[in-house]
């Protein structure tokens, strides 16, 4: 009995020691800069701080003098920290942090994109990927769509090789341009598993397009009911024939050229029973919608109208959040293209129709 009591006291002491150690972790993290001595610059650390009851945006300005600086930043919950150069509009680097962490920033110049940022496994993994892809990151800003596609592929490849790593989820959320390649995004996101598949990463980044689960296959709704000028109402049933949906407004810069391309498609494939081409306007005013329908000579197409625009429930279900926007679905209803490039969309649609 005495031995049992001794063991109980020993166990109690161990528990109390662990509690004391846990209590020593302060609601803060430290960031230390170690750069060349000729660097005297200001940087900004931007992050979303939160506790069990509320959240807020924090901005920490760091003055690096002769390459050195050290700051202590308050936080309770884990966060993603964005690193900006003074006056910069886009972050050059990110890192993941939890309370109690010590983040070390080292570099050979004043560009955060080139820095080695370390302090925990997630941050180490993100940094390794960023440095390995520094040229792609730089090119993606200059090359636009093509550069973004290459960057997307790099993120996808990383996820394929590290599906259980938390860094994979963060890279998908922070560096993958979903607008450029929806299908590849879905494929990559649905590769995540174990810790990487936990909801906390979506909550950490808080992206508006991640409020719902990401279905592995991108499909249109089973039925799309549209207001139309000619008949008052028209119904599109994807999965029977290939479908091209073009969402627009009269003042969209590419509107005239886009309509011209739709005319070419309708003339090349005049059998409207073998395909659906739908021009869907977000004009809130009926007369503004009626005028181009009467004057632009687009025929053998559905002339739809969604006066509520992106607020329309069907537009939301189809993921339409900007204009112009195109969706191409094959004869089985699977979406094969999403984006704003009419030339690229038309090429895909032609290819489907020629091989259907």
């Amino acid at each position: 009995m005495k031995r049992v009591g001794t063991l109980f006291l020993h166990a109690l002491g161990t528990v109390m020691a662990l509690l004391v150690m846990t209590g020593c972790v302060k609601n803060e993290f430290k960031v230390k800069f170690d750069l060349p001595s000729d660097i005297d610059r200001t940087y900004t650390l931007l992050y979303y701080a939160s506790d069990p009851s509320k959240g807020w945006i924090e901005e920490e300005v760091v003055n690096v003098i002769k390459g050195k600086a050290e700051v202590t930043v308050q936080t309770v919950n884990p966060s993603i920290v964005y690193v900006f150069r003074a006056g910069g509009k886009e972050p050059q680097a990110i890192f993941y942090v939890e309370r109690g962490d010590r983040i070390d920033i080292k570099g050979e110049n004043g560009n955060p994109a080139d820095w080695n940022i370390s302090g925990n496994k997630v941050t180490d993994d993100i940094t390794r990927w960023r440095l390995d892809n520094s040229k792609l990151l730089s090119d993606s800003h200059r090359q636009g769509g093509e550069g973004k596609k290459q960057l997307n592929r790099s993120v996808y490849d990383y996820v394929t090789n590290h599906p259980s790593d938390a860094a994979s989820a963060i890279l998908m959320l922070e560096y993958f341009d979903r607008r450029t390649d929806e299908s590849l995004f879905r494929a990559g996101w649905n590769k995540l598993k174990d810790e990487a598949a936990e909801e906390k990463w979506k909550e950490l980044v808080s992206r508006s397009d991640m409020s719902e689960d990401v279905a592995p296959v991108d499909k249109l709704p089973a039925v799309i009911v549209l207001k139309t000028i000619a008949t008052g109402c028209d119904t599109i049933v994807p999965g029977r024939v290939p479908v091209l949906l073009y969402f627009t407004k009269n003042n969209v810069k590419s509107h005239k050229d886009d309509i011209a391309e739709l005319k070419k498609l309708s003339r090349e494939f005049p059998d409207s029973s073998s395909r659906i081409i739908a021009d869907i306007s977000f004009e809130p005013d009926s007369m503004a919608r009626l005028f181009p329908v009467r004057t632009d000579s687009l025929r053998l197409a559905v002339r739809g109208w969604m006066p509520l625009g992106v607020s329309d429930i069907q537009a939301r279900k189809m993921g339409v959040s900007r204009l112009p926007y195109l969706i191409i679905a094959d004869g089985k209803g699977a979406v094969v293209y999403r984006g704003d490039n009419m030339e690229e969309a038309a090429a895909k649609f032609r290819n489907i129709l020629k091989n259907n």
Side-chain angles (χ1 to χ4, degrees), residues 274-325:
S274 66
R275 53 80 177 149
I276 295 173
I277 295 174
D279 153 48
I280 303 168
S281 174
F282 278 9
E283 290 292 347
D285 180 73
S286 60
M287 292 305 296
R289 175 52 177 154
L290 182 60
F291 180 75
V293 171
R294 289 180 171 174
T295 59
D296 63 22
S297 71
L298 174 60
R299 302 291 180 261
L300 302 174
V302 177
R303 309 308 300 270
W305 182 37
M306 284 186 176
L308 295 179
V310 294
S311 299
D312 187 287
I313 188 169
Q314 290 190 113
R316 296 206 305 270
K317 286 182 178 179
M318 289 185 280
V320 182
S321 59
R322 67 187 191 277
L323 297 177
Y325 195 75

Side-chain angles (χ1 to χ4, degrees), residues 129 133-155 175-177 180-181:
W129 178 88
N133 291 274
S134 59
K135 187 176 187 305
L136 269 182
L137 285 165
S138 175
D139 290 346
S140 68
H141 293 291
R142 294 198 305 270
Q143 296 177 359
E146 188 56 40
K148 289 178 180 178
K149 286 182 180 180
Q150 293 179 28
L151 192 63
N152 285 350
R153 174 56 63 173
S154 177
V155 174
Y175 288 103
F176 195 107
D177 187 347
T180 300
D181 198 332

